Amino acid sequence: MNAPAGPLRPLLLPLARGFEWIAMALLIGATSLIMAEVIGRGLFNLGLPWAGELARYCGLGVIFLTVPLLLARGGHVRVDLFLNLLPGAPRRVGDLLNEALTLLFCLLFLVSCYGFMQRAGRFSTPALGIPNLLYYLPAIAGMALTTLVAVDRLLGALLGRTAPEAQPDH
């Protein structure tokens, strides 16, 4: 199925691809840090709490910075067994409802994150003392861009526009 594509897609895809590149660098960082921890513990009997903290930061970034591009490409998990059985107009309503619920989830996530940061933002991470706002910034940035992609997908669904399947968006 082609992903709905609204008027914001040409602006959002380069940002989402940039987030993907950052996520790839963070994946390399997480892998290196975990290997350093394993070697430190296994060979030198040395704990590296700072490496674990940074590896978790990298993992958080990998997850949340790849979500916008995944949603833009329509590569997210989608349970559409019943939706595919619907004819014409009911199918369109179901698609619109699906896009609206995705946007609602994104908005609820951001509102919840704001509430969480009101409390947790005053603290820092234990090993390196990174302010929590900075530590959770990849999740916030990723979901903010995901929200914009969800808005674009909803607009695309309303306008009946989809991204061409044969032409990759990269």
Side-chain angles (χ1 to χ4, degrees), residues 48-138:
L48 302 172
W50 60 269
E53 195 169 277
L54 282 178
R56 284 187 297 279
Y57 174 80
C58 291
L60 186 72
V62 168
I63 292 167
F64 283 97
L65 295 179
T66 55
V67 171
L69 190 57
L70 187 67
L71 183 62
R73 290 180 176 165
H76 57 291
V77 173
R78 181 180 162 117
V79 180
D80 55 6
L81 175 68
F82 296 112
L83 195 58
N84 287 338
L85 296 174
L86 295 175
R91 167 73 186 258
R92 182 165 156 75
V93 169
D95 285 335
L96 288 170
L97 181 61
N98 186 37
E99 297 303 331
L101 289 172
T102 301
L103 177 58
L104 179 63
F105 170 81
C106 292
L107 292 170
L108 288 173
F109 184 97
L110 290 174
V111 168
S112 298
C113 192
Y114 176 78
F116 171 72
M117 290 312 298
Q118 293 301 307
R119 294 182 309 273
R122 294 176 277 160
F123 303 103
S124 299
T125 61
L128 292 172
I130 300 170
N132 274 343
L133 180 60
L134 183 60
Y135 195 79
Y136 291 106
L137 192 58

Side-chain angles (χ1 to χ4, degrees), residues 28-50:
I28 292 168
T31 304
S32 301
L33 289 162
I34 291 168
M35 286 175 55
E37 264 192 303
V38 169
I39 291 169
R41 284 191 183 141
L43 296 179
F44 305 109
N45 200 24
L46 178 67
L48 302 172
W50 60 269

